[in-house]
Amino acid sequence: MRKPILIVIGITALITLIISIPNITAQAKWYAFERHKNVDTVTKTVTLHDLADMQHDQRTLAGELQNSSTYSLIGDQVRKGLDEASRHEVFLQQHDEIDSIKIRLPITSYKDKNKAIEFISGEGEVVETYRKE
């Protein structure tokens, strides 16, 4: 009587472990990312078009990472950085008289044997504005 119960418990534990593998690998990648990421501050002069291109690239990267079982947690971080940095694009859209801005942005980079990831990881700050002539 004990043997069938132990077999059922063992099979249940094995199925649970197999189902948890994607979450375990995502957590492992997140841990490696947190330990080995490199955050630099970059100062750039950008136009509305430049910002839109940067955000499109980051949006594409975030979607790709979030759809991956291994890098999904990093993809969430990329999306969060995108949301914070989008404030500058909105600012330029609302102010037609401004041609470009000089901004200081935090850029996070991470590389492992399978993937190199680089993204805007925060809002940054506007250093200077340039008006249209």
Side-chain angles (χ1 to χ4, degrees), residues 31-47:
Y31 179 75
F33 170 77
E34 283 296 317
R35 292 195 48 133
H36 300 291
K37 70 182 177 182
N38 185 23
V39 180
D40 292 321
T41 302
V42 175
T43 303
K44 292 182 172 188
T45 301
V46 293
T47 63

Side-chain angles (χ1 to χ4, degrees):
M1 185 70 170
R2 287 185 124 197
K3 195 171 187 179
I5 292 174
L6 291 176
I7 291 173
V8 169
I9 290 173
I11 290 172
T12 303
L14 182 62
I15 290 171
T16 303
L17 179 65
I18 290 171
I19 291 172
S20 299
I21 287 175
N23 190 31
I24 292 168
T25 58
Q27 290 291 336
K29 279 296 179 193
W30 176 253
Y31 179 75
F33 170 77
E34 283 296 317
R35 292 195 48 133
H36 300 291
K37 70 182 177 182
N38 185 23
V39 180
D40 292 321
T41 302
V42 175
T43 303
K44 292 182 172 188
T45 301
V46 293
T47 63
L48 177 60
H49 181 70
D50 296 334
L51 278 174
D53 286 347
M54 290 168 48
Q55 294 208 354
H56 174 72
D57 293 344
Q58 189 157 337
R59 194 172 295 111
T60 302
L61 175 64
E64 175 188 324
L65 295 174
Q66 286 176 320
N67 290 333
S68 162
S69 61
T70 305
Y71 295 97
S72 61
L73 296 175
I74 299 171
D76 293 342
Q77 190 70 23
V78 173
R79 180 79 61 191
K80 181 180 173 193
L82 173 67
D83 292 343
E84 291 174 4
S86 66
R87 191 188 101 181
H88 301 298
E89 184 180 14
V90 172
F91 173 78
L92 283 174
Q93 287 173 343
Q94 292 175 346
H95 295 89
D96 290 336
E97 71 277 2
I98 297 177
D99 185 44
S100 60
I101 57 175
K102 181 185 261 187
I103 53 176
R104 195 172 294 133
L105 292 170
I107 305 291
T108 298
S109 57
Y110 169 73
K111 184 175 182 173
D112 64 11
K113 64 182 178 182
N114 298 324
K115 195 164 216 48
I117 301 169
E118 184 175 289
F119 62 95
I120 300 169
S121 55
E123 183 178 314
E125 73 177 283
V126 175
V127 177
E128 208 170 325
T129 60
Y130 302 102
R131 295 194 181 276
K132 292 181 181 177
E133 294 183 19

